Amino acid sequence: MSTTTLLVRQDQLATTRLLTTDDTPLAEGQVRVRVESFALTANNITYAALGDMLNYWQFFPTGEAGWGIVPVWGFGTVTESLHPEVAVAERLYGYWPMADQAVLSPQRVNAAGFSDGAPHRAGLHAVYNHYLRTGTDGLYRADNEDVQALLRPLFITSWLIDDFLADQQFFGAQRMLLSSASSKTAYGTAFQLAHREGVEVIGLTSPGNVAFCESLGCYSRVVTYDALDTIDGATPSVYIDFAGSVGLRQRIHAHFTGLAYSCSVGASHVQDLGGAGQLPGPRPVMFFAPAQVKKRHADWGAQGLNDRLVAAWNQFSAAVSAGPQPWLVVQRHAGPQATQTLFASVLAGSGDPRAGHIATMLPG
């Protein structure tokens, strides 16, 4: 048996190659999982673009200098187990390598799931190390796995951004500016913010995505990047940056003199990343979702946090799938070559914002 993996050049993300290696026997306590489906979105490009800064390359080390494996969210089935509490045929949701198989070392096993106890993941954040058993997962539904893989990790980030801003009384602002407004994490955030009383949610996007963003119904208005000056700059505002574009961030900070807070989230404009130097207004602060999870875990307890998330997720996942024009239309890509091609396409930022890409390294 062998494992096929997509490797990405860490300093040149467009350079990729497929690697097939022979499987080694499991050690006592390990399990082998067939990675059956995963989502590939702009979020995964962010993982790669910020891989060094936020340690994303460390989850699945390649052993080859300069080459990394981009983590993805999705579903897998245990095919081999040398762990007494994890059975063959168990279905799991979690964070996988872009490969057709993964080996995990379950620890802290309970009815909900387990953490990967591999030594190289010991210092990495628990949110990404946890694997959920679909049989006991409150957010799981067998009939919408694709929507879960595509939107669940993004929506949790969206929900936490909204929760963080509300917890900070929106830094005294009533206007939220969201770049890359057609991206899934942005529109999930807008969906949450739209439920807040007295908050104006402005989506910033390219001309080609205006109609899509307007069709979602969660933006107060949608403005193209070249029309920023049509928005009053003195009104207290919060900038939520999903694009990561240096040029756009400079323009936002220059025009919006009433900017109360600048929140950096993503890097969908991967060709325009980097430090922005000296900016007028508040210093951009990177949003790190696990920190807000930790805070709310302390505030509400695990069950209280989970209950709120499940309720919000059920509302959101119903909204994106409803109506004659759903927000999300799933497209499938099977096999190593198809996945490699898809990665290049997502990296280039091309494609329909309504498309949700589900891939598998397994042959079709």
Side-chain angles (χ1 to χ4, degrees):
M1 293 292 289
S2 62
T3 299
T4 300
T5 306
L6 181 65
L7 302 187
V8 176
R9 188 78 198 171
Q10 293 172 349
D11 60 355
Q12 183 60 53
L13 301 182
T15 302
T16 63
R17 64 187 174 92
L18 295 165
L19 177 68
T20 300
T21 54
D22 292 335
D23 293 342
T24 56
L26 295 181
E28 196 62 39
Q30 289 185 326
V31 301
R32 198 182 312 275
V33 181
R34 182 175 62 243
V35 181
E36 291 170 334
S37 66
F38 54 83
L40 199 50
T41 71
N43 187 50
N44 303 101
I45 304 305
T46 296
Y47 291 155
L50 305 180
D52 289 324
M53 185 192 309
L54 296 180
N55 300 322
Y56 290 120
W57 295 124
Q58 294 185 25
F59 284 91
F60 306 107
T62 64
E64 290 189 46
W67 291 89
I69 299 171
V70 179
V72 288
W73 292 93
F75 293 90
T77 298
V78 178
T79 57
E80 190 181 352
S81 176
L82 292 182
H83 194 291
E85 297 175 87
V86 181
V88 169
E90 275 212 65
R91 195 153 179 76
L92 304 170
Y93 168 80
Y95 209 48
W96 307 106
M98 211 180 298
D100 56 9
Q101 294 192 107
V103 173
L104 305 176
S105 301
Q107 66 177 15
R108 295 193 292 277
V109 182
N110 58 32
F114 58 82
S115 293
D116 184 11
H120 70 270
R121 292 176 74 164
L124 301 175
H125 204 283
V127 167
Y128 301 109
N129 284 339
H130 198 59
Y131 293 83
L132 295 169
R133 292 170 148 155
T134 60
T136 55
D137 177 9
L139 271 71
Y140 180 76
R141 272 178 36 201
D143 63 348
N144 75 347
E145 279 193 359
D146 292 343
V147 172
Q148 292 168 70
L150 282 159
L151 294 181
R152 177 173 171 164
L154 310 183
F155 179 71
I156 291 173
T157 298
S158 299
W159 186 88
L160 290 165
I161 293 167
D162 167 74
D163 179 64
F164 165 74
L165 293 173
D167 199 29
Q168 304 296 324
Q169 288 82 49
F170 298 99
F171 297 91
Q174 290 183 304
R175 177 199 282 157
M176 305 294 117
L177 304 162
L178 283 66
S179 64
S180 201
S182 65
S183 71
K184 295 169 180 64
T185 315
Y187 71 60
T189 306
F191 181 84
Q192 291 302 111
L193 289 168
H195 292 91
R196 301 285 182 183
E197 196 71 36
V199 173
E200 182 186 20
V201 186
I202 299 180
L204 306 176
T205 192
S206 56
N209 288 331
V210 169
F212 171 74
C213 293
E214 289 178 342
S215 77
L216 303 177
C218 54
Y219 291 108
S220 309
R221 55 179 161 145
V222 179
V223 178
T224 55
Y225 295 127
D226 58 3
L228 291 180
D229 58 1
T230 64
I231 310 171
D232 167 42
T235 301
S237 304
V238 169
Y239 178 43
I240 311 171
D241 181 9
F242 296 95
S245 163
V246 174
L248 177 60
R249 189 185 307 131
Q250 288 172 330
R251 291 174 57 215
I252 293 281
H253 277 250
H255 176 70
F256 292 95
T257 55
L259 200 62
Y261 189 75
S262 183
C263 181
S264 297
V265 183
S268 62
H269 292 196
V270 73
Q271 71 284 357
D272 191 22
L273 296 176
Q278 289 298 110
L279 289 168
R283 180 182 175 86
V285 179
M286 191 75 191
F287 181 76
F288 189 54
Q292 189 67 9
V293 169
K294 185 176 181 180
K295 181 184 188 300
R296 287 315 199 186
H297 198 282
D299 292 343
W300 300 329
Q303 193 60 50
L305 174 58
N306 191 62
D307 289 349
R308 288 168 169 83
L309 264 174
V310 169
W313 166 255
N314 288 340
Q315 190 178 18
F316 178 68
S317 59
V320 301
S321 305
Q325 198 178 27
W327 299 14
L328 191 66
V329 177
V330 173
Q331 296 181 4
R332 300 176 192 283
H333 309 261
Q337 286 78 20
T339 302
Q340 186 177 28
T341 300
L342 173 62
F343 181 81
S345 172
V346 175
L347 177 67
S350 56
D352 179 0
R354 213 175 288 276
H357 298 288
I358 293 290
T360 177
M361 295 285 282
L362 299 167

